[in-house]
């Protein structure tokens, strides 16, 4: 059992908007912290200035707020371990780099890009891959093979990086809470750069130092960092620090087999589903990419859906409030295998939250009615909502699924209309009108009885029903047609049939007129 010293961090780089995977990482950190009464920290890892994109930070904070998974500490929230921006921690990193240089775990390297490219080519030509490591470091341009004087001169006149000196021949076990034991053989590790030529610490160095200084107990991050874990552990060892626990979260793949979900999906316009939580305004352009928020997803549904991308509580129930997620969350139930994202499932989750947001549906419908200066009793509006709610996934869909209870169709589906633009349909519609006139009492039960029982012998029954629905709704959609007729009432239903009759007649007339003209033209 963990005590309340759990400290976890979400450490995004401000290189653009978060995508689904990033938010899921934040969510798991949040859930884990809250479950153990711990602290959830937001650290901005902005060491890579070349990839910096303005607004990323405010985007991240706004996203966490929308999801209601706000940090307890860090950028925008304060705390004792500030600064929480890596760009403001240069001095700290330099202090620790010096330590590594002094104890011989790091060294200066002066190889230029072209030196290294040459090496890479040489190796490539021999069918090998070049890596800067114990096998070749002594033949490269670095402080390991320089006199003190040479080093002094080089430091004065050339640009350099600082590399970690991996000790070869060591084998040890590392443990990931999700992936289990991993055997590390240092012979296969390269001497990674710790300090770049611009004097800025690399991710590996900054991340390790910060996690230690900020007293992070558990590192929960994406699986793409699993391969860096062994190197990070080596760094902890050389500083003499105890590493935190690590848990690398499964990748999120597209259900259609088109690979990983990434920001590139949007850039390359291959994403047929949203991947951003909230809208992203692409800098220096007018492009706005809508997120789940703008598309009408409830934050609760979005969070619930995300939680299940790589974790499940082992029960049948999938609908969990944030508090329920906190209570049930555990790293043991996070899957090792990749999770598959399916937009249909996301919509399903949203649908499940409609009932909890009925008041909002009511307001949305009221807005549509007000826009058209239509007045209806509250009870009636609620009745319609109750009938329609099962047919929608989003609040904004309410009007397109219920308009026909409030207004007669102002538009008819063109394809079906073309099909029924004939004398036969006119006859059938006239008959329908007569049938409706004679039905009394005008109730659902009675309507159904008349249509089915009395027309048992009618071979075109299905066709007639379609025609009836079409005249009432304008399309071939909607709820049980008898409920629609009962609610609209006899007068309105007949009126709508009349409207369609007029429309068909008009069309037939203009068709013949055109034909006549054509004939005249031909002569
Ligand atoms: N800055 C890294 C990223 O954006 C964080 C990796 C980590 O959590 O250690 O992916």
């Amino acid at each position: 059992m963990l005590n309340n010293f759990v400290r976890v961090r979400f450490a995004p780089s401000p290189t653009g908007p978060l995508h689904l995977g990033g938010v899921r990482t934040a969510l798991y950190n949040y859930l884990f912290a809250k479950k153990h009464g711990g602290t959830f920290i937001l650290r901005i890892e902005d060491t890579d200035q070349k990839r910096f994109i303005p607004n990323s930070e405010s985007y991240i904070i706004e996203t966490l707020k929308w999801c209601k998974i706000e940090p307890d500490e860090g950028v925008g929230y304060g705390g004792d371990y500030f600064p929480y921006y890596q760009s403001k921690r240069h001095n700290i990193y330099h202090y620790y780099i010096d330590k590594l240089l002094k104890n011989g775990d790091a060294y200066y390297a002066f190889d230029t890009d072209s030196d290294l490219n040459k090496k890479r080519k040489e190796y490539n030509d021999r069918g090998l891959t070049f890596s800067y490591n114990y096998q070749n470091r002594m033949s490269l341009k670095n402080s390991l093979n320089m006199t003190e004087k040479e080093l002094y001169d080089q430091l004065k006149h050339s640009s350099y990086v600082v590399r970690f000196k991996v000790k070869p021949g060591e084998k040890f076990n590392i443990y990931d809470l999700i992936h289990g034991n991993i055997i590390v053989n240092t012979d296969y590790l390269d001497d990674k750069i710790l300090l770049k030529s611009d004097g800025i610490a690399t991710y590996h160095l900054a991340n390790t130092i910060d996690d230690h200084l900020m007293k992070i107990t558990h590192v929960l991050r994406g699986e793409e960092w699993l391969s860096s874990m062994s190197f990070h552990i080596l760094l902890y060892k050389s500083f003499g620090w105890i590493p935190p626990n690590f848990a690398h979260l499964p990748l999120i793949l597209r259900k259609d087999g088109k690979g990983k979900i990434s920001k590139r999906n949007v850039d390359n316009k291959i994403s047929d589903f949203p991947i951003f939580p909230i809208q992203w305004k692409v800098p220096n352009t007018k492009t706005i990419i809508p997120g789940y928020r703008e598309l009408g997803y409830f934050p609760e549904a979005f969070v619930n859906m995300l939680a299940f991308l790589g974790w499940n509580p082992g029960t049948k129930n999938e609908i969990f409030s944030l508090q329920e997620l906190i209570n049930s969350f555990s790293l043991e139930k996070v899957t090792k295998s990749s999770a598959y994202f399916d937009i249909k499932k996301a919509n399903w989750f949203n649908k499940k939250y409609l009932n909890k947001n009925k008041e909002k549906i009511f307001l949305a419908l009221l807005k549509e009615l007000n826009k058209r200066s239509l007045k209806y009793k509250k009870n009636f509006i609620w009745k319609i909502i109750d009938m329609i709610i099962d047919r929608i996934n989003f609040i904004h869909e309410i009007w397109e699924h219920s308009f026909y209870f409030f207004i007669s169709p102002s538009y008819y589906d063109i394809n079906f209309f073309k099909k029924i633009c004939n004398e036969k349909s006119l006859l059938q519609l006239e008959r329908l009108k007569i049938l409706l006139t004679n039905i009394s009492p005008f109730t659902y039960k009675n309507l159904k009885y008349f249509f089915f029982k009395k027309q048992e012998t009618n071979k075109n029954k299905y066709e007639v029903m379609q025609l009836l629905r079409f005249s009432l709704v304008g399309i071939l959609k909607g709820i049980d047609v008898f409920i629609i007729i009962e609610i609209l009432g006899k007068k309105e239903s007949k009126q709508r049939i009349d409207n369609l009759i007029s429309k068909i007649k008009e069309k037939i007339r203009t068709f013949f007129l055109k034909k006549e003209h054509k004939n005249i033209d031909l002569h």
Side-chain angles (χ1 to χ4, degrees), residues 9 11-13 45 203 207 221 225:
R9 84 308 190 266
S13 299
E45 302 209 323
Y203 155 74
N207 186 274
R221 62 185 175 193
W225 298 108

